Amino acid sequence: MKRPDREWTVKLKPRAIVQGALLSLSLYAVAYYHFTNAGLPPIPSAAIAVFAGGLLLFAAVAAVATTVALSRELGLWLRFQIRPKASKPPWHLVFRFNQVFIPRRYQEEVTENMIAQFHIDYCEALADKRFFRARLLTVYFYFNAIGNVFGLITSGTLKKIVTMWKLIP
Amino acid sequence: MHASRKELVILSLLRDGRERYPAELARGSDGALRESSIYVQLVRAKEKGFVESRKEELPQPAERPPRRLYRITGAGERAVLDAQKQLLGLAVSEVEQ
């Protein structure tokens, strides 16, 4: 069972797009706040309309792209569930998931390790003719991806929030 | 550098000097480490300098990405020793009280 290289060398475009959108949104908010509070002329309504239109267009394109990607993944996943031996394990979704949710500095190592380990477990299950286990592993794989993100949130951000909260007198 | 509880579990498992895969560590930890979070914990421990890693060598063409093998460093050893000393200190002070 061969898997093309591109599957584990996919670059981080979705994450960059989300970050770019958030950055432009925050820049816009800062600029808007600054101009309206400093008594300078507010941003013309035409500029706001253009920005809002752009944002809407971006949201629409993102929604369509996400729906298409998810349906494709779901299709692959269902095909795999029906015929596990004949089809390729649908690992792609975890790539997408990690690209969006896992910080870049963890991404490569976490994704590579996860896919390699699951590939081994999956091949073992198939070799032992344990098809149900092979099917179950794909579900477990997705849970694992979610677990990694939760692990990051709970051990990182949440801990910082709790520490800051405790510091408030 | 201070090691977290999970990092200490990882370091204790690596103290015999053998290189291990993440899943091997999770499965050998009696439930103290989960496979769903071990990867992130290992990257963090690596950033702190407690462990180092190398990619496993696979015959070419490889059918899967290589796993990483992790090994404890000197800083990792010191972190475990510090934690042990701290625990010992706590125990002594409790006995003294």
Side-chain angles (χ1 to χ4, degrees):
Chain A
M1 185 185 47
K2 295 212 167 168
R3 300 168 67 249
D5 279 348
R6 70 170 182 81
E7 283 182 25
W8 55 79
T9 53
V10 175
K11 296 297 172 202
L12 319 166
K13 281 173 193 160
R15 192 179 167 79
I17 291 167
V18 173
Q19 281 173 344
L22 285 175
L23 185 70
S24 50
L25 203 64
S26 32
L27 278 176
Y28 171 73
V30 169
Y32 185 81
Y33 180 80
H34 173 75
F35 284 123
T36 49
N37 279 281
L40 290 168
I43 296 168
S45 54
I48 296 172
V50 167
F51 183 81
L55 209 65
L56 271 176
L57 191 70
F58 171 78
V61 170
V64 170
T66 311
T67 314
V68 169
L70 280 177
S71 344
R72 189 177 157 270
E73 294 300 338
L74 191 68
L76 279 172
W77 190 79
L78 282 173
R79 203 169 68 184
F80 173 78
Q81 292 299 318
I82 296 160
R83 299 181 64 197
K85 207 171 179 181
S87 41
K88 193 171 59 177
W91 302 144
H92 321 72
L93 198 60
V94 171
F95 273 111
R96 306 278 180 275
F97 188 85
N98 283 0
Q99 277 169 12
V100 176
F101 292 107
I102 292 199
R104 201 171 293 189
R105 69 174 200 264
Y106 299 126
Q107 230 168 60
E108 190 192 339
E109 204 162 323
V110 169
T111 311
E112 266 186 11
N113 268 326
M114 277 178 78
I115 291 187
Q117 190 56 49
F118 273 88
H119 195 92
I120 291 165
D121 292 346
Y122 160 81
C123 286
E124 267 176 20
L126 279 194
D128 297 345
K129 295 194 190 306
R130 295 165 73 191
F131 298 118
F132 181 69
R133 183 178 157 74
R135 287 186 180 104
L136 213 63
L137 274 171
T138 61
V139 181
Y140 183 54
F141 187 52
Y142 297 132
F143 275 110
N144 244 355
I146 296 166
N148 271 299
V149 175
F150 272 103
L152 276 169
I153 295 167
T154 48
S155 57
T157 318
L158 200 67
K159 205 179 258 179
K160 275 176 203 154
I161 293 169
V162 171
T163 316
M164 278 164 67
W165 183 257
K166 280 182 184 165
L167 286 174
I168 297 169
Chain B
M1 181 90 69
H2 177 71
S4 72
R5 194 178 59 82
K6 282 190 178 174
E7 281 165 357
L8 282 172
V9 177
I10 292 172
L11 295 175
S12 318
L13 287 166
L14 290 172
R15 272 192 93 188
D16 60 3
R18 243 188 69 207
E19 290 179 304
R20 284 191 174 82
Y21 299 113
E24 217 179 334
L25 286 167
R27 288 165 196 177
S29 70
D30 292 329
L33 301 165
R34 285 171 191 267
E35 262 187 72
S36 57
S37 57
I38 180 90
Y39 306 111
V40 170
Q41 295 294 340
L42 280 166
V43 179
R44 285 212 171 122
K46 199 170 135 186
E47 279 179 351
K48 290 181 182 175
F50 296 151
V51 296
E52 53 190 13
S53 74
R54 67 173 177 90
K55 285 186 180 181
E56 69 175 332
E57 282 152 26
L58 291 172
Q60 293 301 324
E63 290 195 341
R64 61 172 173 82
R67 285 179 294 179
R68 277 178 191 269
L69 283 157
Y70 292 86
R71 185 173 49 192
I72 193 165
T73 61
E77 291 274 5
R78 278 194 296 280
V80 178
L81 287 175
D82 286 347
Q84 282 174 344
K85 274 182 205 164
Q86 220 174 348
L87 270 176
L88 208 65
L90 278 174
V92 169
S93 64
E94 264 186 33
V95 169
E96 282 173 354
Q97 278 172 8

